[in-house]
Amino acid sequence: MSSPLMPWPLSPELLQDLAKVMTPTGVADYAALTLLSMAAGTYLSRGILWDQPDPYHYRWYERPQLKMGGLAGANGSKETRNIAHKLDEVDKNIVVFWGSQSGTAEGFASRLAREIALRFRQGTMTADLSDYDPETISQIPQSKLAIFILSTYGEGDPSDNTAEFWDWINKAQDVSLANVRYCAFGLGNSNYKFYNRVVDIVVQGLDRRGAQSLMPVGKANDAEGSTQEDFIGWKDDLFAVFKEQLGFEEGEMQYLPTLAVQEHESLEPIDLHHGEPDTPDGSKPSAQCSPVRPVTIANARELFEASDRHCLHLDLDLSSVPEFSYKTGDHLAIWPSNPDAEVERLLQVLGLAARRDVSISIRSLDSATKVRVATPTTAAALFRYYLEIGAPVNRDNVLGLASFAPTPEAKTYLLQLGQDKAAYANFINRTHVNLGRLLQLAAPETAWPALPLSYLVETLAPIQPRYYSISSSSVIAPRKPSITAIVSTTPVPENPEELVHGITSNYLLALSENRRDATHPHGLTYHLNGPSNALQGGKVFAHLRKSKFKLPRVGSSPLIMVAAGTGLAPFRAFIAERRQLQQIGREIGEMILFFGCRRPEEDYTYRDELAELQAALGDRLRIVTAFSRQPDTPRKYVQDRITECGDAVLRLLDEGANLYICGRAGMAREVEKTVGQAMQQAKGWSDSQWNDWSRAFKKRGKWQEDVWG
């Protein structure tokens, strides 16, 4: 049989003729052969003798802030990843490790480290768990102390920056931590099934390897709104351990800055950070997140019929951001700005209004302390784009502010408020005051010139992006993801005419209204063009985050989807994608959607669209609704409707359905309880049998949740 590259045999005569033709006969032939040989040699030596990979090519993709404040030290040298060596380098006795998804645990770590240093004069540093090799924790000497502040989110998951440490503490063999003394505090929400699972597992791993715990594990419960007070209570217990067990002497609390904020009028605008976001989820890159880029809002529309409540559907256009791509089920993060009124309030009360645009640089006074905001910048940019100035002031900070009070009356007011836990809780619940408003209440007609900007940068949390489930299918709209955002406005109990405005949702509402030349319904204004007009033309700073909340690969798999409120968003995408599969002749599985809201005529989002999809999909889609505030009708929630449709739910699960829940964590907990009761009753299972089944079901990715709060 002839070779596939030579479809017919060559005769000897033909070969002789070819040899004659191909034999060089003159100078031109030899020159041509020489050139061909040189070209071939050059091509074959590519990557060896020439066109070698640029060893510094990666620097095109590095962020400058990493060189200034991330993995590089102050002198430009690479930071050590050995935490024991780091403690020796910076001469610290205590390290506060943090694992944080939304920034709360990181903020607590910074607060704790600062207070330990001020109150007990102990050298203390914070440490992002992803900055250090976890095995080096075993080298921390017994003379030093490790503190862990760890958040739990989702289905008992560790934060992104805890992933490497999490793997190590769960899998490392033959590791002794006998010389490690530690304390631990966890952040969680009891509405989730795996409440504070991360800190529990970490503590078990530490204890199993011989580490010595100095006190019981502390836990915060966000479901009760007590996270701040839970932390303060645990911190007080920790300080008691310091005094009674470790013999630390407590001194008078005097503010000693860890940061220096200096004006530099010589800096040019091009040298400054005017408000552009740094990076998602901290200072380091993440495989889960895209870069932050300006993204155009292509379309915006109102979904609610009620005039006093707002829910937005926003379509974004990725045409100008070629590096962005998403998959159905992913999240899109919006970076907000603070409203003009709150920025002006803070500038006025601090006496900085006239110098709002003067250049300032922020540098660390301690080699172990990182600057968490962009620098150099201006006071106006700091308050508008980089710090969370709209959040309620925690009780620790109320007491801290007292030392800078401009009048004796203001100092007394703050001390009385901060020292009385019950009075403070009552005050915050009645007023929801943020920093600017609190300073005005304490000293109504007086500025606060003694309150240093460094204190605010140290104590206020950096502004965080808000994540939204993408409500479009990447198969249908690969370059136009959409999000669904309910606008948060809460009346102040003490003054119902005054509203507490959710930062990001009201920023998006202002953008939406501006598109049709209208104003925000409550008069809020923002710098919608963004820093240096980077957002001109209706853009937002955004980035994409990968999610595990995905459709099964097999389109014929049945789906059970449970949503309340804006939890409907990803299911709009799921159903639309299944419809697309059907249209190209693919077999699709049976689907049932449970959806709950207040009233059908008020907040049943995407109602007409879902009706069209249901008509097109026929018996492949069933929609079951639950309305909690329907007049003259008993309240119904999605878990009630699941009970009523229990036979259908169990049948689909037996047929291999995937179950998805999206919405508030409390709802998800009730849904799981309802499904569990139905399964136990139908199959005669015990609690342990149900728990074993659900655990295995979730491990296989058949039960997925995208929940919050």
Side-chain angles (χ1 to χ4, degrees), residues 338-354 356 380 383-384 389 436 440 525 527:
N338 290 309
D340 294 338
E342 296 303 333
V343 174
E344 289 302 316
R345 186 193 312 275
L346 203 47
L347 289 170
Q348 292 290 342
V349 78
L350 295 174
L352 295 174
R356 69 181 66 217
F383 295 154
R384 188 177 306 283
I389 66 172
Q440 285 183 330
T525 59
H527 272 35

Side-chain angles (χ1 to χ4, degrees), residues 494-515:
E494 195 170 78
N495 181 12
E497 297 299 318
E498 186 177 345
L499 299 173
V500 178
H501 300 283
I503 293 176
T504 307
S505 61
N506 280 277
Y507 168 66
L508 290 175
L509 179 59
L511 275 166
S512 176
E513 294 296 307
N514 185 65
R515 288 178 58 84

Side-chain angles (χ1 to χ4, degrees), residues 357-670:
D357 295 320
V358 174
S359 307
I360 57 173
S361 66
I362 307 168
R363 63 181 179 86
S364 173
L365 297 175
D366 184 336
S367 59
T369 300
K370 294 180 180 179
V371 179
R372 298 189 294 160
V373 296
T375 182
T377 185
T378 65
L382 198 61
F383 295 154
R384 188 177 306 283
Y385 298 108
Y386 292 126
L387 294 177
E388 290 271 15
I389 66 172
V393 186
N394 66 67
R395 192 158 58 90
D396 277 349
N397 283 355
V398 172
L399 291 171
L401 290 168
S403 60
F404 307 111
T407 65
E409 293 78 12
K411 183 173 185 177
T412 300
Y413 175 85
L414 292 174
L415 288 175
Q416 290 177 344
L417 183 62
Q419 290 169 349
D420 189 328
K421 177 180 176 180
Y424 169 79
N426 180 56
F427 170 76
I428 285 295
N429 289 335
R430 286 186 295 104
T431 61
H432 296 278
V433 295
N434 55 33
L435 176 64
R437 298 185 186 206
L438 177 64
L439 297 179
Q440 285 183 330
L441 283 172
E445 304 296 332
T446 309
W448 289 64
L451 179 56
L453 204 49
S454 60
Y455 180 84
L456 300 186
V457 178
E458 290 171 356
T459 57
L460 291 177
I463 205 162
Q464 297 290 327
R466 271 60 170 181
Y467 288 92
Y468 296 91
S469 299
I470 294 177
S471 55
S472 57
S473 163
S474 59
V475 172
I476 300 171
R479 305 305 296 163
K480 284 197 174 180
S482 64
I483 60 173
T484 310
I486 191 164
V487 179
S488 172
T489 52
T490 306
V492 175
E494 195 170 78
N495 181 12
E497 297 299 318
E498 186 177 345
L499 299 173
V500 178
H501 300 283
I503 293 176
T504 307
S505 61
N506 280 277
Y507 168 66
L508 290 175
L509 179 59
L511 275 166
S512 176
E513 294 296 307
N514 185 65
R515 288 178 58 84
R516 57 189 188 91
D517 296 323
T519 59
H520 189 287
H522 301 296
L524 296 182
T525 59
Y526 299 81
H527 272 35
L528 297 181
N529 283 344
S532 304
N533 290 325
L535 303 179
Q536 195 166 18
K539 296 181 179 180
V540 291
F541 285 120
H543 73 266
L544 294 165
R545 182 174 71 181
K546 295 179 182 178
S547 167
K548 297 177 182 178
F549 200 73
K550 300 296 184 187
L551 279 166
R553 292 184 178 181
V554 180
S556 59
S557 296
L559 305 181
I560 301 168
M561 299 166 283
V562 187
T566 54
L568 179 60
F571 300 139
R572 173 183 183 260
F574 283 13
I575 297 169
E577 189 159 313
R578 280 289 177 91
R579 168 59 177 155
Q580 185 76 2
L581 288 176
Q582 184 194 55
Q583 287 182 309
I584 62 173
R586 298 279 294 277
E587 180 186 353
I588 62 171
E590 184 180 345
M591 296 174 283
I592 182 169
L593 168 67
F594 294 94
F595 172 63
C597 62
R598 294 183 181 184
R599 303 180 184 92
E601 69 280 357
E602 178 182 312
D603 52 2
Y604 189 166
T605 55
Y606 304 114
R607 184 178 186 177
D608 294 340
E609 188 177 316
L610 287 172
E612 291 176 6
L613 286 167
Q614 189 172 27
L617 289 162
D619 63 358
R620 296 291 83 189
L621 174 63
R622 178 183 176 189
I623 299 176
V624 181
T625 53
F627 304 116
S628 61
R629 299 189 188 179
Q630 184 79 325
D632 305 319
T633 304
R635 291 192 174 196
K636 291 282 187 179
Y637 298 97
V638 286
Q639 58 266 29
D640 301 323
R641 301 294 273 152
I642 290 172
T643 299
E644 296 171 9
C645 302
D647 291 343
V649 170
L650 296 181
R651 175 179 59 81
L652 289 177
L653 288 173
D654 287 339
E655 293 175 3
N658 281 30
L659 190 150
Y660 300 88
I661 306 173
C662 188
R664 291 200 169 273
M667 177 273 289
R669 181 187 60 189
E670 292 302 317

